Amino acid sequence: FPVSALTLIVLCLGLKKMPAYGLKIRHMSVGQGDAALVEFQGKTLLVDTGPHSNNVLQTLRRLGIHRIDAIVLSHSHRDHIQGTESLLHKLKIGCIEWPRETHTPPIIRDLKNLALQQSVPSCGGHLPWQGARILQVTPKTSTRITPNNQSLIVEMKAEEWRMLFAGDIEADAEEFLAEQIQDTTWLKVAHHGSRSSTSHTFLEAI
């Protein structure tokens, strides 16, 4: 599918299982970009912050949310991280997990400096939920190492549910991810549903 025509696809796999009590996942309407809010066990996780400075902030305020326990920025593309600046200025944030890319672009350096000014620490690879982890899989061929394929991936377990937020990884990285995860109940497909991702092989594996 062309990216411009499809900003988000959510594949719900194995819906015979009921979601864990109290689990909420909200995908925010941010246009061409990603921002997902997870609420579970009394804590909040934001996976990416969208392409606009105030879009996600306004949505969180409407929901009555004034604190985010953890933010994971999957990679450095602006459609996934641009909203971080306003959140740092206006909300209480427990920690931020920064992209782990080969080269750090200026926008990430600027956001890290702002986080330092606001006394917001790095998550250090850990999320404040039991059964939650951050993964990164990078294709071994250097020509395939891009910010998309270096995306951080969030895996969360909630009772019988296993959820996967796949950033913008493409088929090359999905191949390696499939070797590291078990059956997945719920998948936020990578790269906005673009044809470069969510291969048949990957879906069969998870």
Side-chain angles (χ1 to χ4, degrees):
F1 299 99
V3 174
S4 59
L6 186 61
T7 57
L8 175 69
I9 291 178
V10 176
L11 295 181
C12 297
L13 308 176
L15 289 183
K16 295 179 292 184
K17 302 175 182 178
M18 293 299 291
Y21 177 76
L23 171 65
K24 295 180 182 177
I25 303 174
R26 291 184 172 95
H27 287 275
M28 301 184 187
S29 179
V30 295
Q32 177 58 45
D34 266 5
L37 174 69
V38 181
E39 296 175 83
F40 187 53
Q41 297 175 341
K43 296 178 181 178
T44 51
L45 166 68
L46 195 60
V47 183
D48 289 328
T49 61
H52 305 296
S53 59
N54 291 316
N55 202 316
V56 170
L57 176 63
Q58 292 170 358
T59 300
L60 292 172
R61 283 178 165 172
R62 285 198 300 269
L63 293 170
I65 294 174
H66 304 287
R67 174 184 171 84
I68 297 294
D69 291 288
I71 294 176
V72 176
L73 300 177
S74 63
H75 63 295
S76 62
H77 288 166
R78 290 179 180 270
D79 59 334
H80 289 253
I81 66 169
Q82 189 72 49
T84 309
E85 181 178 357
S86 61
L87 298 180
L88 282 166
H89 281 298
K90 301 295 185 180
L91 294 183
K92 294 181 179 179
I93 298 171
C95 67
I96 297 177
E97 184 70 17
W98 300 98
R100 306 172 194 167
E101 296 170 13
T102 305
H103 304 288
T104 302
I107 186 172
I108 294 296
R109 290 197 294 268
D110 291 344
L111 288 173
K112 283 186 173 182
N113 287 335
L114 179 58
L116 183 63
Q117 295 170 19
Q118 301 292 336
S119 300
V120 177
S122 168
C123 296
H126 302 287
L127 295 176
W129 291 268
Q130 185 176 2
R133 62 175 179 157
I134 299 169
L135 306 171
Q136 185 182 40
V137 290
T138 301
K140 296 176 182 178
T141 304
S142 60
T143 56
R144 297 175 179 176
I145 297 177
T146 64
N148 283 346
N149 270 335
Q150 290 184 298
S151 290
L152 299 183
I153 298 148
V154 176
E155 181 190 43
M156 292 188 70
K157 291 186 289 185
E159 297 177 10
E160 297 299 317
W161 272 50
R162 186 187 302 272
M163 298 160 286
L164 202 63
F165 296 82
D168 270 4
I169 64 170
E170 299 177 334
D172 300 322
E174 287 177 343
E175 178 183 349
F176 295 97
L177 177 61
E179 299 173 359
Q180 299 187 32
I181 60 174
Q182 302 174 20
D183 289 347
T184 297
T185 316
W186 186 95
L187 169 69
K188 201 294 292 183
V189 299
H191 209 186
H192 320 278
S194 174
R195 69 180 63 189
S196 63
S197 309
T198 322
S199 66
H200 292 293
T201 302
F202 177 64
L203 289 178
E204 289 173 357
I206 66 169

PDB file of all heavy atoms in Angstrom, residues 7-8 24 31 34 38 45 52 85 95 99 103 106 116 120 125 146 160 169 179 202:
ATOM      1  N   THR A   7      -1.965   5.435   6.926  1.00  0.00           N
ATOM      2  CA  THR A   7      -1.080   5.866   8.005  1.00  0.00           C
ATOM      3  C   THR A   7      -0.930   4.813   9.074  1.00  0.00           C
ATOM      4  O   THR A   7       0.019   4.826   9.838  1.00  0.00           O
ATOM      5  CB  THR A   7      -1.610   7.154   8.644  1.00  0.00           C
ATOM      6  OG1 THR A   7      -2.933   6.936   9.111  1.00  0.00           O
ATOM      7  CG2 THR A   7      -1.603   8.296   7.652  1.00  0.00           C
ATOM      8  N   LEU A   8      -1.873   3.901   9.168  1.00  0.00           N
ATOM      9  CA  LEU A   8      -1.772   2.901  10.235  1.00  0.00           C
ATOM     10  C   LEU A   8      -2.597   1.688   9.896  1.00  0.00           C
ATOM     11  O   LEU A   8      -3.722   1.789   9.461  1.00  0.00           O
ATOM     12  CB  LEU A   8      -2.275   3.495  11.556  1.00  0.00           C
ATOM     13  CG  LEU A   8      -2.335   2.517  12.735  1.00  0.00           C
ATOM     14  CD1 LEU A   8      -0.912   2.138  13.153  1.00  0.00           C
ATOM     15  CD2 LEU A   8      -3.078   3.117  13.898  1.00  0.00           C
ATOM     16  N   LYS A  24      -5.112  -0.653  27.956  1.00  0.00           N
ATOM     17  CA  LYS A  24      -5.640   0.249  26.934  1.00  0.00           C
ATOM     18  C   LYS A  24      -4.520   0.623  25.973  1.00  0.00           C
ATOM     19  O   LYS A  24      -3.416   0.974  26.399  1.00  0.00           O
ATOM     20  CB  LYS A  24      -6.197   1.530  27.568  1.00  0.00           C
ATOM     21  CG  LYS A  24      -7.410   1.333  28.455  1.00  0.00           C
ATOM     22  CD  LYS A  24      -7.871   2.665  29.032  1.00  0.00           C
ATOM     23  CE  LYS A  24      -9.069   2.477  29.960  1.00  0.00           C
ATOM     24  NZ  LYS A  24      -9.470   3.778  30.570  1.00  0.00           N
ATOM     25  N   GLY A  31      -1.711  12.149  11.602  1.00  0.00           N
ATOM     26  CA  GLY A  31      -1.371  12.289  10.193  1.00  0.00           C
ATOM     27  C   GLY A  31      -0.339  11.259   9.808  1.00  0.00           C
ATOM     28  O   GLY A  31      -0.344  10.128  10.300  1.00  0.00           O
ATOM     29  N   ASP A  34       3.591   8.271  13.655  1.00  0.00           N
ATOM     30  CA  ASP A  34       3.196   7.286  14.658  1.00  0.00           C
ATOM     31  C   ASP A  34       3.239   7.885  16.054  1.00  0.00           C
ATOM     32  O   ASP A  34       4.172   8.617  16.398  1.00  0.00           O
ATOM     33  CB  ASP A  34       4.150   6.079  14.642  1.00  0.00           C
ATOM     34  CG  ASP A  34       3.641   4.941  13.774  1.00  0.00           C
ATOM     35  OD1 ASP A  34       2.601   5.118  13.120  1.00  0.00           O
ATOM     36  OD2 ASP A  34       4.291   3.882  13.744  1.00  0.00           O
ATOM     37  N   VAL A  38       0.053   3.460  25.600  1.00  0.00           N
ATOM     38  CA  VAL A  38      -0.316   2.228  26.290  1.00  0.00           C
ATOM     39  C   VAL A  38      -0.517   2.559  27.770  1.00  0.00           C
ATOM     40  O   VAL A  38       0.355   3.177  28.394  1.00  0.00           O
ATOM     41  CB  VAL A  38       0.774   1.147  26.157  1.00  0.00           C
ATOM     42  CG1 VAL A  38       0.343  -0.126  26.879  1.00  0.00           C
ATOM     43  CG2 VAL A  38       1.066   0.855  24.692  1.00  0.00           C
ATOM     44  N   LEU A  45       2.860   4.411  28.844  1.00  0.00           N
ATOM     45  CA  LEU A  45       3.974   4.299  27.905  1.00  0.00           C
ATOM     46  C   LEU A  45       3.569   4.955  26.604  1.00  0.00           C
ATOM     47  O   LEU A  45       2.464   4.729  26.099  1.00  0.00           O
ATOM     48  CB  LEU A  45       4.308   2.823  27.651  1.00  0.00           C
ATOM     49  CG  LEU A  45       5.224   2.513  26.452  1.00  0.00           C
ATOM     50  CD1 LEU A  45       6.629   3.041  26.703  1.00  0.00           C
ATOM     51  CD2 LEU A  45       5.247   1.008  26.165  1.00  0.00           C
ATOM     52  N   HIS A  52       4.164  16.289  14.771  1.00  0.00           N
ATOM     53  CA  HIS A  52       3.828  17.687  15.069  1.00  0.00           C
ATOM     54  C   HIS A  52       4.134  18.003  16.529  1.00  0.00           C
ATOM     55  O   HIS A  52       4.028  17.138  17.405  1.00  0.00           O
ATOM     56  CB  HIS A  52       2.364  17.964  14.765  1.00  0.00           C
ATOM     57  CG  HIS A  52       1.976  17.615  13.364  1.00  0.00           C
ATOM     58  ND1 HIS A  52       2.502  18.252  12.264  1.00  0.00           N
ATOM     59  CD2 HIS A  52       1.125  16.672  12.877  1.00  0.00           C
ATOM     60  CE1 HIS A  52       1.985  17.732  11.167  1.00  0.00           C
ATOM     61  NE2 HIS A  52       1.158  16.766  11.508  1.00  0.00           N
ATOM     62  N   GLU A  85       9.482  17.415  21.832  1.00  0.00           N
ATOM     63  CA  GLU A  85       9.877  18.699  22.427  1.00  0.00           C
ATOM     64  C   GLU A  85       8.777  19.283  23.298  1.00  0.00           C
ATOM     65  O   GLU A  85       9.014  19.679  24.453  1.00  0.00           O
ATOM     66  CB  GLU A  85      10.267  19.692  21.328  1.00  0.00           C
ATOM     67  CG  GLU A  85      10.703  21.038  21.878  1.00  0.00           C
ATOM     68  CD  GLU A  85      11.131  22.006  20.789  1.00  0.00           C
ATOM     69  OE1 GLU A  85      11.149  21.606  19.605  1.00  0.00           O
ATOM     70  OE2 GLU A  85      11.448  23.170  21.130  1.00  0.00           O
ATOM     71  N   CYS A  95      11.089   8.676  31.968  1.00  0.00           N
ATOM     72  CA  CYS A  95      12.343   8.420  31.259  1.00  0.00           C
ATOM     73  C   CYS A  95      12.069   8.340  29.772  1.00  0.00           C
ATOM     74  O   CYS A  95      10.923   8.171  29.343  1.00  0.00           O
ATOM     75  CB  CYS A  95      13.016   7.125  31.753  1.00  0.00           C
ATOM     76  SG  CYS A  95      12.108   5.609  31.358  1.00  0.00           S
ATOM     77  N   PRO A  99      16.709   6.561  20.340  1.00  0.00           N
ATOM     78  CA  PRO A  99      17.121   5.695  19.225  1.00  0.00           C
ATOM     79  C   PRO A  99      18.581   5.279  19.342  1.00  0.00           C
ATOM     80  O   PRO A  99      19.417   6.037  19.846  1.00  0.00           O
ATOM     81  CB  PRO A  99      16.892   6.582  17.991  1.00  0.00           C
ATOM     82  CG  PRO A  99      15.850   7.571  18.416  1.00  0.00           C
ATOM     83  CD  PRO A  99      16.122   7.833  19.869  1.00  0.00           C
ATOM     84  N   HIS A 103      24.471   6.689  13.416  1.00  0.00           N
ATOM     85  CA  HIS A 103      24.793   8.115  13.418  1.00  0.00           C
ATOM     86  C   HIS A 103      23.670   8.866  14.124  1.00  0.00           C
ATOM     87  O   HIS A 103      22.491   8.641  13.846  1.00  0.00           O
ATOM     88  CB  HIS A 103      24.975   8.635  11.999  1.00  0.00           C
ATOM     89  CG  HIS A 103      26.014   7.897  11.212  1.00  0.00           C
ATOM     90  ND1 HIS A 103      27.360   8.023  11.459  1.00  0.00           N
ATOM     91  CD2 HIS A 103      25.890   6.999  10.197  1.00  0.00           C
ATOM     92  CE1 HIS A 103      28.033   7.250  10.636  1.00  0.00           C
ATOM     93  NE2 HIS A 103      27.171   6.613   9.854  1.00  0.00           N
ATOM     94  N   PRO A 106      21.183  15.712  14.303  1.00  0.00           N
ATOM     95  CA  PRO A 106      21.064  16.895  15.171  1.00  0.00           C
ATOM     96  C   PRO A 106      19.771  16.938  15.986  1.00  0.00           C
ATOM     97  O   PRO A 106      19.793  17.381  17.139  1.00  0.00           O
ATOM     98  CB  PRO A 106      21.145  18.062  14.183  1.00  0.00           C
ATOM     99  CG  PRO A 106      21.938  17.531  13.034  1.00  0.00           C
ATOM    100  CD  PRO A 106      21.546  16.090  12.922  1.00  0.00           C
ATOM    101  N   LEU A 116      17.982  16.715  29.263  1.00  0.00           N
ATOM    102  CA  LEU A 116      18.939  16.941  30.344  1.00  0.00           C
ATOM    103  C   LEU A 116      18.564  18.187  31.140  1.00  0.00           C
ATOM    104  O   LEU A 116      18.600  18.188  32.384  1.00  0.00           O
ATOM    105  CB  LEU A 116      20.341  17.080  29.758  1.00  0.00           C
ATOM    106  CG  LEU A 116      21.499  17.243  30.750  1.00  0.00           C
ATOM    107  CD1 LEU A 116      21.622  16.006  31.640  1.00  0.00           C
ATOM    108  CD2 LEU A 116      22.808  17.488  30.005  1.00  0.00           C
ATOM    109  N   VAL A 120      15.169  14.770  32.780  1.00  0.00           N
ATOM    110  CA  VAL A 120      14.509  13.530  32.354  1.00  0.00           C
ATOM    111  C   VAL A 120      15.600  12.534  31.969  1.00  0.00           C
ATOM    112  O   VAL A 120      16.341  12.756  31.012  1.00  0.00           O
ATOM    113  CB  VAL A 120      13.564  13.763  31.161  1.00  0.00           C
ATOM    114  CG1 VAL A 120      12.957  12.442  30.695  1.00  0.00           C
ATOM    115  CG2 VAL A 120      12.468  14.753  31.542  1.00  0.00           C
ATOM    116  N   GLY A 125      17.357   1.188  28.514  1.00  0.00           N
ATOM    117  CA  GLY A 125      16.992  -0.113  27.955  1.00  0.00           C
ATOM    118  C   GLY A 125      15.951  -0.866  28.754  1.00  0.00           C
ATOM    119  O   GLY A 125      15.618  -2.001  28.416  1.00  0.00           O
ATOM    120  N   THR A 146      19.656   1.182   7.875  1.00  0.00           N
ATOM    121  CA  THR A 146      19.032   2.491   7.751  1.00  0.00           C
ATOM    122  C   THR A 146      18.377   2.823   9.087  1.00  0.00           C
ATOM    123  O   THR A 146      18.183   1.940   9.936  1.00  0.00           O
ATOM    124  CB  THR A 146      17.961   2.470   6.655  1.00  0.00           C
ATOM    125  OG1 THR A 146      16.917   1.560   7.045  1.00  0.00           O
ATOM    126  CG2 THR A 146      18.547   2.037   5.311  1.00  0.00           C
ATOM    127  N   GLU A 160      -2.325 -12.992  29.008  1.00  0.00           N
ATOM    128  CA  GLU A 160      -2.188 -13.882  27.851  1.00  0.00           C
ATOM    129  C   GLU A 160      -1.829 -13.148  26.563  1.00  0.00           C
ATOM    130  O   GLU A 160      -1.625 -13.787  25.537  1.00  0.00           O
ATOM    131  CB  GLU A 160      -3.493 -14.662  27.642  1.00  0.00           C
ATOM    132  CG  GLU A 160      -3.850 -15.583  28.795  1.00  0.00           C
ATOM    133  CD  GLU A 160      -2.793 -16.638  29.020  1.00  0.00           C
ATOM    134  OE1 GLU A 160      -2.306 -17.208  28.039  1.00  0.00           O
ATOM    135  OE2 GLU A 160      -2.425 -16.873  30.193  1.00  0.00           O
ATOM    136  N   ILE A 169      10.695  -0.913  10.946  1.00  0.00           N
ATOM    137  CA  ILE A 169      11.573  -1.936  10.371  1.00  0.00           C
ATOM    138  C   ILE A 169      10.988  -2.471   9.066  1.00  0.00           C
ATOM    139  O   ILE A 169       9.775  -2.474   8.860  1.00  0.00           O
ATOM    140  CB  ILE A 169      11.843  -3.093  11.347  1.00  0.00           C
ATOM    141  CG1 ILE A 169      10.551  -3.867  11.675  1.00  0.00           C
ATOM    142  CG2 ILE A 169      12.531  -2.608  12.595  1.00  0.00           C
ATOM    143  CD1 ILE A 169      10.818  -5.163  12.428  1.00  0.00           C
ATOM    144  N   GLU A 179      13.317 -14.378  14.707  1.00  0.00           N
ATOM    145  CA  GLU A 179      14.096 -15.378  15.434  1.00  0.00           C
ATOM    146  C   GLU A 179      14.110 -15.128  16.939  1.00  0.00           C
ATOM    147  O   GLU A 179      14.512 -15.989  17.708  1.00  0.00           O
ATOM    148  CB  GLU A 179      15.536 -15.375  14.900  1.00  0.00           C
ATOM    149  CG  GLU A 179      15.646 -15.736  13.421  1.00  0.00           C
ATOM    150  CD  GLU A 179      17.058 -15.563  12.902  1.00  0.00           C
ATOM    151  OE1 GLU A 179      17.934 -15.139  13.697  1.00  0.00           O
ATOM    152  OE2 GLU A 179      17.292 -15.840  11.712  1.00  0.00           O
ATOM    153  N   PHE A 202       7.347 -13.109   7.779  1.00  0.00           N
ATOM    154  CA  PHE A 202       7.345 -12.571   9.127  1.00  0.00           C
ATOM    155  C   PHE A 202       6.020 -12.877   9.839  1.00  0.00           C
ATOM    156  O   PHE A 202       6.000 -13.331  10.992  1.00  0.00           O
ATOM    157  CB  PHE A 202       7.583 -11.061   9.080  1.00  0.00           C
ATOM    158  CG  PHE A 202       7.539 -10.397  10.429  1.00  0.00           C
ATOM    159  CD1 PHE A 202       8.476 -10.697  11.407  1.00  0.00           C
ATOM    160  CD2 PHE A 202       6.559  -9.446  10.706  1.00  0.00           C
ATOM    161  CE1 PHE A 202       8.430 -10.067  12.644  1.00  0.00           C
ATOM    162  CE2 PHE A 202       6.517  -8.826  11.941  1.00  0.00           C
ATOM    163  CZ  PHE A 202       7.456  -9.136  12.916  1.00  0.00           C
TER     164      PHE A 202
END
